[in-house]
Amino acid sequence: MAQRRLLDRLPVVHQLRQSVGLQRGMLVAGLIITGVFVLTAILAPVLAPYGYSQLRDEDGTFGAQQPPGPQHLLGTTVGGYDVLSRVIWGTQTAALVIVVAVILSIFIGVLLGLVSGYIGGWLDRVLVVVADAVYAFPSLLLAIVAAIAISGGQSSFWGGILAAAVSITVVFIPQYFRVIRAETVRIKSEAYVESAKVIGASPTRIMTRHVLRNATRTLPLIFTLNSSEAILTLAGLGFLGFGIEPTAAAEWGYDLNKSLSDVTSGIWWTSVFPGLAIVLVVLGITLVGESLNDLADPRLRTRRRADSGPHPTADVSVVPGGTVDDLAGLDTVEHRP
């Protein structure tokens, strides 16, 4: 019983128990795709037959644009890299960028939103104007500018990951800032916050113990939705040539960029598999995020539960002293003065 209660407290398990019908199918499908993505990223050194920058083995060089075969199950790229290995190693790069970018975004965005919403005044107005200006700027263009400013688009493995993560962080900070600030402004007027002020609690204690705990309940939803955006932003940076070098790490957007000329020549395998990896990962994370978002809305959750089963009809009285069934005998009732 204790173990079951502990499992029910886990966010994903709790939401999975609440879901029904199509909603549960979407959530399960998203969790499976996301789980495969995470496991592939963790086990990339074991699953990949070759290194991400390996061009030869004991039999010699791989050769460029080799079709799928026994030696290379998904063929080779125009640069002579194994496509399967590049796709598998690319999951590790994408996962690292997501983790670093979202953690930095949450830390900075939550801190600024909490301080801005609770303190208010001129500091709040300045931060709101800056956040709105950054949020109104095209996200991909802002990420390109940040990537150029950080590394010039050329860097080592960790340097490239940090450059891509920081450029994505700049895009995501305003989203966390606006959500946390709005929640903080609402929560700081609650009765329990006023009570904490009356008993002499410091502003730091109120923000960390009372406001922060209640203002961050929607962060898991934003985390999942922003993770899919981070994948697309990373792929966009690599496709435009501002990503990670192929000798430093495998990146799906870069591989798509190099396969553009192959498409017109009938060489399909160099572009299909990196593109399919991007689509599947974004689809899986988006399904999880949208499902959690729907389940967080009590109106949608209640409606799905109500629609999932038959609606019993209550035996209610529609006439004084009787039910619908009594109407059949009204004509035979003897009326007495």
PDB file of all heavy atoms in Angstrom, residues 51-85:
ATOM      1  N   GLY A  51      31.800   5.197 -34.531  1.00  0.00           N
ATOM      2  CA  GLY A  51      31.842   6.511 -33.931  1.00  0.00           C
ATOM      3  C   GLY A  51      31.169   7.548 -34.810  1.00  0.00           C
ATOM      4  O   GLY A  51      31.001   7.344 -36.024  1.00  0.00           O
ATOM      5  N   TYR A  52      30.793   8.668 -34.227  1.00  0.00           N
ATOM      6  CA  TYR A  52      30.070   9.683 -34.999  1.00  0.00           C
ATOM      7  C   TYR A  52      30.950  10.342 -36.058  1.00  0.00           C
ATOM      8  O   TYR A  52      30.442  10.877 -37.041  1.00  0.00           O
ATOM      9  CB  TYR A  52      29.480  10.752 -34.075  1.00  0.00           C
ATOM     10  CG  TYR A  52      30.474  11.418 -33.155  1.00  0.00           C
ATOM     11  CD1 TYR A  52      31.286  12.450 -33.604  1.00  0.00           C
ATOM     12  CD2 TYR A  52      30.595  11.005 -31.834  1.00  0.00           C
ATOM     13  CE1 TYR A  52      32.199  13.063 -32.761  1.00  0.00           C
ATOM     14  CE2 TYR A  52      31.496  11.611 -30.990  1.00  0.00           C
ATOM     15  CZ  TYR A  52      32.299  12.636 -31.453  1.00  0.00           C
ATOM     16  OH  TYR A  52      33.206  13.239 -30.606  1.00  0.00           O
ATOM     17  N   SER A  53      32.269  10.309 -35.874  1.00  0.00           N
ATOM     18  CA  SER A  53      33.172  10.900 -36.866  1.00  0.00           C
ATOM     19  C   SER A  53      34.083   9.860 -37.511  1.00  0.00           C
ATOM     20  O   SER A  53      35.076  10.207 -38.142  1.00  0.00           O
ATOM     21  CB  SER A  53      34.040  11.983 -36.209  1.00  0.00           C
ATOM     22  OG  SER A  53      34.818  11.436 -35.157  1.00  0.00           O
ATOM     23  N   GLN A  54      33.727   8.582 -37.381  1.00  0.00           N
ATOM     24  CA  GLN A  54      34.558   7.505 -37.929  1.00  0.00           C
ATOM     25  C   GLN A  54      34.340   7.385 -39.438  1.00  0.00           C
ATOM     26  O   GLN A  54      33.202   7.376 -39.922  1.00  0.00           O
ATOM     27  CB  GLN A  54      34.220   6.188 -37.236  1.00  0.00           C
ATOM     28  CG  GLN A  54      35.124   5.037 -37.629  1.00  0.00           C
ATOM     29  CD  GLN A  54      34.846   3.786 -36.811  1.00  0.00           C
ATOM     30  OE1 GLN A  54      34.152   3.839 -35.793  1.00  0.00           O
ATOM     31  NE2 GLN A  54      35.375   2.658 -37.258  1.00  0.00           N
ATOM     32  N   LEU A  55      35.434   7.301 -40.179  1.00  0.00           N
ATOM     33  CA  LEU A  55      35.375   7.223 -41.640  1.00  0.00           C
ATOM     34  C   LEU A  55      35.908   5.910 -42.200  1.00  0.00           C
ATOM     35  O   LEU A  55      35.769   5.669 -43.400  1.00  0.00           O
ATOM     36  CB  LEU A  55      36.163   8.383 -42.262  1.00  0.00           C
ATOM     37  CG  LEU A  55      35.618   9.791 -42.014  1.00  0.00           C
ATOM     38  CD1 LEU A  55      36.582  10.838 -42.560  1.00  0.00           C
ATOM     39  CD2 LEU A  55      34.240   9.947 -42.641  1.00  0.00           C
ATOM     40  N   ARG A  56      36.485   5.065 -41.375  1.00  0.00           N
ATOM     41  CA  ARG A  56      37.055   3.823 -41.861  1.00  0.00           C
ATOM     42  C   ARG A  56      37.079   2.802 -40.730  1.00  0.00           C
ATOM     43  O   ARG A  56      36.963   3.133 -39.557  1.00  0.00           O
ATOM     44  CB  ARG A  56      38.472   4.046 -42.398  1.00  0.00           C
ATOM     45  CG  ARG A  56      39.454   4.590 -41.362  1.00  0.00           C
ATOM     46  CD  ARG A  56      40.827   4.857 -41.949  1.00  0.00           C
ATOM     47  NE  ARG A  56      41.378   3.625 -42.510  1.00  0.00           N
ATOM     48  CZ  ARG A  56      41.932   3.567 -43.720  1.00  0.00           C
ATOM     49  NH1 ARG A  56      42.012   4.652 -44.475  1.00  0.00           N
ATOM     50  NH2 ARG A  56      42.413   2.435 -44.174  1.00  0.00           N
ATOM     51  N   ASP A  57      37.219   1.539 -41.114  1.00  0.00           N
ATOM     52  CA  ASP A  57      37.398   0.452 -40.168  1.00  0.00           C
ATOM     53  C   ASP A  57      38.555  -0.406 -40.636  1.00  0.00           C
ATOM     54  O   ASP A  57      39.363   0.022 -41.478  1.00  0.00           O
ATOM     55  CB  ASP A  57      36.107  -0.359 -40.015  1.00  0.00           C
ATOM     56  CG  ASP A  57      35.615  -0.913 -41.343  1.00  0.00           C
ATOM     57  OD1 ASP A  57      36.345  -0.773 -42.352  1.00  0.00           O
ATOM     58  OD2 ASP A  57      34.509  -1.487 -41.374  1.00  0.00           O
ATOM     59  N   GLU A  58      38.649  -1.625 -40.142  1.00  0.00           N
ATOM     60  CA  GLU A  58      39.773  -2.473 -40.519  1.00  0.00           C
ATOM     61  C   GLU A  58      39.731  -2.896 -41.985  1.00  0.00           C
ATOM     62  O   GLU A  58      40.753  -3.301 -42.547  1.00  0.00           O
ATOM     63  CB  GLU A  58      39.810  -3.725 -39.632  1.00  0.00           C
ATOM     64  CG  GLU A  58      38.591  -4.632 -39.729  1.00  0.00           C
ATOM     65  CD  GLU A  58      37.472  -4.192 -38.809  1.00  0.00           C
ATOM     66  OE1 GLU A  58      37.633  -3.125 -38.158  1.00  0.00           O
ATOM     67  OE2 GLU A  58      36.461  -4.908 -38.732  1.00  0.00           O
ATOM     68  N   ASP A  59      38.561  -2.779 -42.624  1.00  0.00           N
ATOM     69  CA  ASP A  59      38.443  -3.130 -44.033  1.00  0.00           C
ATOM     70  C   ASP A  59      38.746  -1.964 -44.968  1.00  0.00           C
ATOM     71  O   ASP A  59      38.721  -2.131 -46.192  1.00  0.00           O
ATOM     72  CB  ASP A  59      37.036  -3.659 -44.336  1.00  0.00           C
ATOM     73  CG  ASP A  59      36.730  -4.935 -43.572  1.00  0.00           C
ATOM     74  OD1 ASP A  59      37.682  -5.697 -43.315  1.00  0.00           O
ATOM     75  OD2 ASP A  59      35.552  -5.155 -43.222  1.00  0.00           O
ATOM     76  N   GLY A  60      38.981  -0.780 -44.421  1.00  0.00           N
ATOM     77  CA  GLY A  60      39.262   0.394 -45.244  1.00  0.00           C
ATOM     78  C   GLY A  60      38.233   1.482 -45.014  1.00  0.00           C
ATOM     79  O   GLY A  60      37.436   1.443 -44.054  1.00  0.00           O
ATOM     80  N   THR A  61      38.233   2.468 -45.889  1.00  0.00           N
ATOM     81  CA  THR A  61      37.289   3.572 -45.749  1.00  0.00           C
ATOM     82  C   THR A  61      35.875   3.124 -46.080  1.00  0.00           C
ATOM     83  O   THR A  61      35.661   2.174 -46.847  1.00  0.00           O
ATOM     84  CB  THR A  61      37.696   4.728 -46.683  1.00  0.00           C
ATOM     85  OG1 THR A  61      37.731   4.252 -48.032  1.00  0.00           O
ATOM     86  CG2 THR A  61      39.067   5.277 -46.303  1.00  0.00           C
ATOM     87  N   PHE A  62      34.902   3.837 -45.512  1.00  0.00           N
ATOM     88  CA  PHE A  62      33.507   3.478 -45.731  1.00  0.00           C
ATOM     89  C   PHE A  62      33.053   3.803 -47.157  1.00  0.00           C
ATOM     90  O   PHE A  62      32.289   3.056 -47.755  1.00  0.00           O
ATOM     91  CB  PHE A  62      32.609   4.227 -44.740  1.00  0.00           C
ATOM     92  CG  PHE A  62      32.827   3.806 -43.311  1.00  0.00           C
ATOM     93  CD1 PHE A  62      32.530   4.669 -42.266  1.00  0.00           C
ATOM     94  CD2 PHE A  62      33.330   2.557 -43.000  1.00  0.00           C
ATOM     95  CE1 PHE A  62      32.716   4.284 -40.957  1.00  0.00           C
ATOM     96  CE2 PHE A  62      33.534   2.159 -41.690  1.00  0.00           C
ATOM     97  CZ  PHE A  62      33.220   3.033 -40.664  1.00  0.00           C
ATOM     98  N   GLY A  63      33.490   4.935 -47.660  1.00  0.00           N
ATOM     99  CA  GLY A  63      32.997   5.383 -48.960  1.00  0.00           C
ATOM    100  C   GLY A  63      31.817   6.309 -48.800  1.00  0.00           C
ATOM    101  O   GLY A  63      31.003   6.166 -47.877  1.00  0.00           O
ATOM    102  N   ALA A  64      31.701   7.261 -49.691  1.00  0.00           N
ATOM    103  CA  ALA A  64      30.628   8.255 -49.603  1.00  0.00           C
ATOM    104  C   ALA A  64      29.380   7.775 -50.311  1.00  0.00           C
ATOM    105  O   ALA A  64      29.449   7.118 -51.354  1.00  0.00           O
ATOM    106  CB  ALA A  64      31.098   9.585 -50.210  1.00  0.00           C
ATOM    107  N   GLN A  65      28.233   8.091 -49.726  1.00  0.00           N
ATOM    108  CA  GLN A  65      26.914   7.843 -50.312  1.00  0.00           C
ATOM    109  C   GLN A  65      26.697   6.374 -50.663  1.00  0.00           C
ATOM    110  O   GLN A  65      26.095   6.045 -51.690  1.00  0.00           O
ATOM    111  CB  GLN A  65      26.717   8.724 -51.555  1.00  0.00           C
ATOM    112  CG  GLN A  65      26.806  10.211 -51.264  1.00  0.00           C
ATOM    113  CD  GLN A  65      26.761  11.056 -52.507  1.00  0.00           C
ATOM    114  OE1 GLN A  65      27.198  10.630 -53.578  1.00  0.00           O
ATOM    115  NE2 GLN A  65      26.233  12.271 -52.402  1.00  0.00           N
ATOM    116  N   GLN A  66      27.159   5.499 -49.799  1.00  0.00           N
ATOM    117  CA  GLN A  66      26.927   4.066 -49.997  1.00  0.00           C
ATOM    118  C   GLN A  66      25.483   3.728 -49.622  1.00  0.00           C
ATOM    119  O   GLN A  66      24.984   4.173 -48.590  1.00  0.00           O
ATOM    120  CB  GLN A  66      27.894   3.245 -49.137  1.00  0.00           C
ATOM    121  CG  GLN A  66      29.353   3.418 -49.515  1.00  0.00           C
ATOM    122  CD  GLN A  66      29.645   2.869 -50.905  1.00  0.00           C
ATOM    123  OE1 GLN A  66      29.130   1.813 -51.299  1.00  0.00           O
ATOM    124  NE2 GLN A  66      30.458   3.604 -51.663  1.00  0.00           N
ATOM    125  N   PRO A  67      24.771   2.948 -50.418  1.00  0.00           N
ATOM    126  CA  PRO A  67      23.375   2.606 -50.097  1.00  0.00           C
ATOM    127  C   PRO A  67      23.312   1.684 -48.891  1.00  0.00           C
ATOM    128  O   PRO A  67      24.306   1.062 -48.509  1.00  0.00           O
ATOM    129  CB  PRO A  67      22.888   1.907 -51.368  1.00  0.00           C
ATOM    130  CG  PRO A  67      24.124   1.361 -51.995  1.00  0.00           C
ATOM    131  CD  PRO A  67      25.221   2.341 -51.679  1.00  0.00           C
ATOM    132  N   PRO A  68      22.131   1.579 -48.263  1.00  0.00           N
ATOM    133  CA  PRO A  68      21.983   0.667 -47.125  1.00  0.00           C
ATOM    134  C   PRO A  68      22.347  -0.761 -47.506  1.00  0.00           C
ATOM    135  O   PRO A  68      21.969  -1.268 -48.563  1.00  0.00           O
ATOM    136  CB  PRO A  68      20.496   0.785 -46.767  1.00  0.00           C
ATOM    137  CG  PRO A  68      20.095   2.130 -47.272  1.00  0.00           C
ATOM    138  CD  PRO A  68      20.910   2.365 -48.514  1.00  0.00           C
ATOM    139  N   GLY A  69      23.099  -1.408 -46.636  1.00  0.00           N
ATOM    140  CA  GLY A  69      23.554  -2.768 -46.889  1.00  0.00           C
ATOM    141  C   GLY A  69      23.966  -3.440 -45.600  1.00  0.00           C
ATOM    142  O   GLY A  69      23.779  -2.890 -44.500  1.00  0.00           O
ATOM    143  N   PRO A  70      24.537  -4.633 -45.686  1.00  0.00           N
ATOM    144  CA  PRO A  70      24.924  -5.363 -44.465  1.00  0.00           C
ATOM    145  C   PRO A  70      25.949  -4.625 -43.611  1.00  0.00           C
ATOM    146  O   PRO A  70      25.876  -4.653 -42.379  1.00  0.00           O
ATOM    147  CB  PRO A  70      25.501  -6.678 -45.020  1.00  0.00           C
ATOM    148  CG  PRO A  70      24.912  -6.817 -46.381  1.00  0.00           C
ATOM    149  CD  PRO A  70      24.772  -5.413 -46.898  1.00  0.00           C
ATOM    150  N   GLN A  71      26.909  -3.968 -44.238  1.00  0.00           N
ATOM    151  CA  GLN A  71      27.935  -3.277 -43.471  1.00  0.00           C
ATOM    152  C   GLN A  71      27.420  -1.968 -42.892  1.00  0.00           C
ATOM    153  O   GLN A  71      27.762  -1.606 -41.760  1.00  0.00           O
ATOM    154  CB  GLN A  71      29.157  -3.000 -44.347  1.00  0.00           C
ATOM    155  CG  GLN A  71      30.335  -2.402 -43.571  1.00  0.00           C
ATOM    156  CD  GLN A  71      31.557  -2.209 -44.467  1.00  0.00           C
ATOM    157  OE1 GLN A  71      31.507  -2.469 -45.679  1.00  0.00           O
ATOM    158  NE2 GLN A  71      32.650  -1.752 -43.870  1.00  0.00           N
ATOM    159  N   HIS A  72      26.603  -1.265 -43.644  1.00  0.00           N
ATOM    160  CA  HIS A  72      26.016  -0.007 -43.187  1.00  0.00           C
ATOM    161  C   HIS A  72      24.505  -0.109 -43.387  1.00  0.00           C
ATOM    162  O   HIS A  72      24.003   0.030 -44.512  1.00  0.00           O
ATOM    163  CB  HIS A  72      26.592   1.176 -43.974  1.00  0.00           C
ATOM    164  CG  HIS A  72      28.082   1.272 -43.919  1.00  0.00           C
ATOM    165  ND1 HIS A  72      28.764   1.758 -42.817  1.00  0.00           N
ATOM    166  CD2 HIS A  72      29.035   0.939 -44.827  1.00  0.00           C
ATOM    167  CE1 HIS A  72      30.066   1.740 -43.057  1.00  0.00           C
ATOM    168  NE2 HIS A  72      30.258   1.228 -44.268  1.00  0.00           N
ATOM    169  N   LEU A  73      23.799  -0.369 -42.317  1.00  0.00           N
ATOM    170  CA  LEU A  73      22.372  -0.670 -42.404  1.00  0.00           C
ATOM    171  C   LEU A  73      21.564   0.487 -42.975  1.00  0.00           C
ATOM    172  O   LEU A  73      20.557   0.270 -43.660  1.00  0.00           O
ATOM    173  CB  LEU A  73      21.837  -1.039 -41.011  1.00  0.00           C
ATOM    174  CG  LEU A  73      22.445  -2.292 -40.377  1.00  0.00           C
ATOM    175  CD1 LEU A  73      21.836  -2.537 -39.006  1.00  0.00           C
ATOM    176  CD2 LEU A  73      22.234  -3.498 -41.276  1.00  0.00           C
ATOM    177  N   LEU A  74      21.985   1.725 -42.708  1.00  0.00           N
ATOM    178  CA  LEU A  74      21.276   2.891 -43.237  1.00  0.00           C
ATOM    179  C   LEU A  74      22.113   3.654 -44.251  1.00  0.00           C
ATOM    180  O   LEU A  74      21.783   4.790 -44.601  1.00  0.00           O
ATOM    181  CB  LEU A  74      20.869   3.825 -42.088  1.00  0.00           C
ATOM    182  CG  LEU A  74      19.975   3.229 -40.998  1.00  0.00           C
ATOM    183  CD1 LEU A  74      19.575   4.287 -39.989  1.00  0.00           C
ATOM    184  CD2 LEU A  74      18.743   2.557 -41.596  1.00  0.00           C
ATOM    185  N   GLY A  75      23.177   3.062 -44.742  1.00  0.00           N
ATOM    186  CA  GLY A  75      24.017   3.704 -45.736  1.00  0.00           C
ATOM    187  C   GLY A  75      25.017   4.669 -45.123  1.00  0.00           C
ATOM    188  O   GLY A  75      25.196   4.719 -43.897  1.00  0.00           O
ATOM    189  N   THR A  76      25.690   5.427 -45.979  1.00  0.00           N
ATOM    190  CA  THR A  76      26.667   6.421 -45.536  1.00  0.00           C
ATOM    191  C   THR A  76      26.315   7.786 -46.128  1.00  0.00           C
ATOM    192  O   THR A  76      25.586   7.886 -47.110  1.00  0.00           O
ATOM    193  CB  THR A  76      28.092   6.037 -45.975  1.00  0.00           C
ATOM    194  OG1 THR A  76      28.142   5.945 -47.413  1.00  0.00           O
ATOM    195  CG2 THR A  76      28.506   4.705 -45.371  1.00  0.00           C
ATOM    196  N   THR A  77      26.859   8.840 -45.531  1.00  0.00           N
ATOM    197  CA  THR A  77      26.574  10.198 -45.945  1.00  0.00           C
ATOM    198  C   THR A  77      27.532  10.627 -47.052  1.00  0.00           C
ATOM    199  O   THR A  77      28.436   9.885 -47.451  1.00  0.00           O
ATOM    200  CB  THR A  77      26.704  11.153 -44.754  1.00  0.00           C
ATOM    201  OG1 THR A  77      28.070  11.200 -44.335  1.00  0.00           O
ATOM    202  CG2 THR A  77      25.838  10.687 -43.594  1.00  0.00           C
ATOM    203  N   VAL A  78      27.356  11.864 -47.529  1.00  0.00           N
ATOM    204  CA  VAL A  78      28.229  12.393 -48.555  1.00  0.00           C
ATOM    205  C   VAL A  78      29.640  12.591 -48.027  1.00  0.00           C
ATOM    206  O   VAL A  78      30.615  12.574 -48.786  1.00  0.00           O
ATOM    207  CB  VAL A  78      27.654  13.722 -49.093  1.00  0.00           C
ATOM    208  CG1 VAL A  78      27.657  14.790 -47.993  1.00  0.00           C
ATOM    209  CG2 VAL A  78      28.423  14.207 -50.303  1.00  0.00           C
ATOM    210  N   GLY A  79      29.757  12.748 -46.710  1.00  0.00           N
ATOM    211  CA  GLY A  79      31.079  12.882 -46.113  1.00  0.00           C
ATOM    212  C   GLY A  79      31.728  11.556 -45.755  1.00  0.00           C
ATOM    213  O   GLY A  79      32.861  11.539 -45.264  1.00  0.00           O
ATOM    214  N   GLY A  80      31.008  10.440 -45.966  1.00  0.00           N
ATOM    215  CA  GLY A  80      31.555   9.130 -45.673  1.00  0.00           C
ATOM    216  C   GLY A  80      31.269   8.629 -44.280  1.00  0.00           C
ATOM    217  O   GLY A  80      31.863   7.632 -43.848  1.00  0.00           O
ATOM    218  N   TYR A  81      30.341   9.256 -43.556  1.00  0.00           N
ATOM    219  CA  TYR A  81      29.984   8.808 -42.204  1.00  0.00           C
ATOM    220  C   TYR A  81      28.845   7.795 -42.270  1.00  0.00           C
ATOM    221  O   TYR A  81      28.004   7.832 -43.171  1.00  0.00           O
ATOM    222  CB  TYR A  81      29.551   9.992 -41.329  1.00  0.00           C
ATOM    223  CG  TYR A  81      30.589  11.077 -41.188  1.00  0.00           C
ATOM    224  CD1 TYR A  81      30.416  12.310 -41.814  1.00  0.00           C
ATOM    225  CD2 TYR A  81      31.744  10.881 -40.429  1.00  0.00           C
ATOM    226  CE1 TYR A  81      31.359  13.309 -41.686  1.00  0.00           C
ATOM    227  CE2 TYR A  81      32.689  11.877 -40.298  1.00  0.00           C
ATOM    228  CZ  TYR A  81      32.494  13.092 -40.920  1.00  0.00           C
ATOM    229  OH  TYR A  81      33.432  14.082 -40.804  1.00  0.00           O
ATOM    230  N   ASP A  82      28.814   6.894 -41.296  1.00  0.00           N
ATOM    231  CA  ASP A  82      27.734   5.911 -41.205  1.00  0.00           C
ATOM    232  C   ASP A  82      26.463   6.603 -40.719  1.00  0.00           C
ATOM    233  O   ASP A  82      26.453   7.241 -39.657  1.00  0.00           O
ATOM    234  CB  ASP A  82      28.133   4.789 -40.246  1.00  0.00           C
ATOM    235  CG  ASP A  82      27.066   3.722 -40.137  1.00  0.00           C
ATOM    236  OD1 ASP A  82      26.857   2.989 -41.114  1.00  0.00           O
ATOM    237  OD2 ASP A  82      26.433   3.640 -39.060  1.00  0.00           O
ATOM    238  N   VAL A  83      25.367   6.484 -41.483  1.00  0.00           N
ATOM    239  CA  VAL A  83      24.133   7.195 -41.164  1.00  0.00           C
ATOM    240  C   VAL A  83      23.546   6.705 -39.849  1.00  0.00           C
ATOM    241  O   VAL A  83      23.116   7.503 -39.003  1.00  0.00           O
ATOM    242  CB  VAL A  83      23.116   7.046 -42.309  1.00  0.00           C
ATOM    243  CG1 VAL A  83      21.772   7.667 -41.924  1.00  0.00           C
ATOM    244  CG2 VAL A  83      23.639   7.685 -43.576  1.00  0.00           C
ATOM    245  N   LEU A  84      23.510   5.386 -39.641  1.00  0.00           N
ATOM    246  CA  LEU A  84      22.941   4.842 -38.410  1.00  0.00           C
ATOM    247  C   LEU A  84      23.698   5.340 -37.190  1.00  0.00           C
ATOM    248  O   LEU A  84      23.083   5.733 -36.179  1.00  0.00           O
ATOM    249  CB  LEU A  84      22.957   3.317 -38.462  1.00  0.00           C
ATOM    250  CG  LEU A  84      22.452   2.594 -37.208  1.00  0.00           C
ATOM    251  CD1 LEU A  84      21.009   2.973 -36.911  1.00  0.00           C
ATOM    252  CD2 LEU A  84      22.595   1.083 -37.362  1.00  0.00           C
ATOM    253  N   SER A  85      25.000   5.350 -37.268  1.00  0.00           N
ATOM    254  CA  SER A  85      25.791   5.822 -36.133  1.00  0.00           C
ATOM    255  C   SER A  85      25.548   7.306 -35.876  1.00  0.00           C
ATOM    256  O   SER A  85      25.432   7.734 -34.721  1.00  0.00           O
ATOM    257  CB  SER A  85      27.284   5.572 -36.392  1.00  0.00           C
ATOM    258  OG  SER A  85      27.537   4.196 -36.580  1.00  0.00           O
TER     259      SER A  85
END
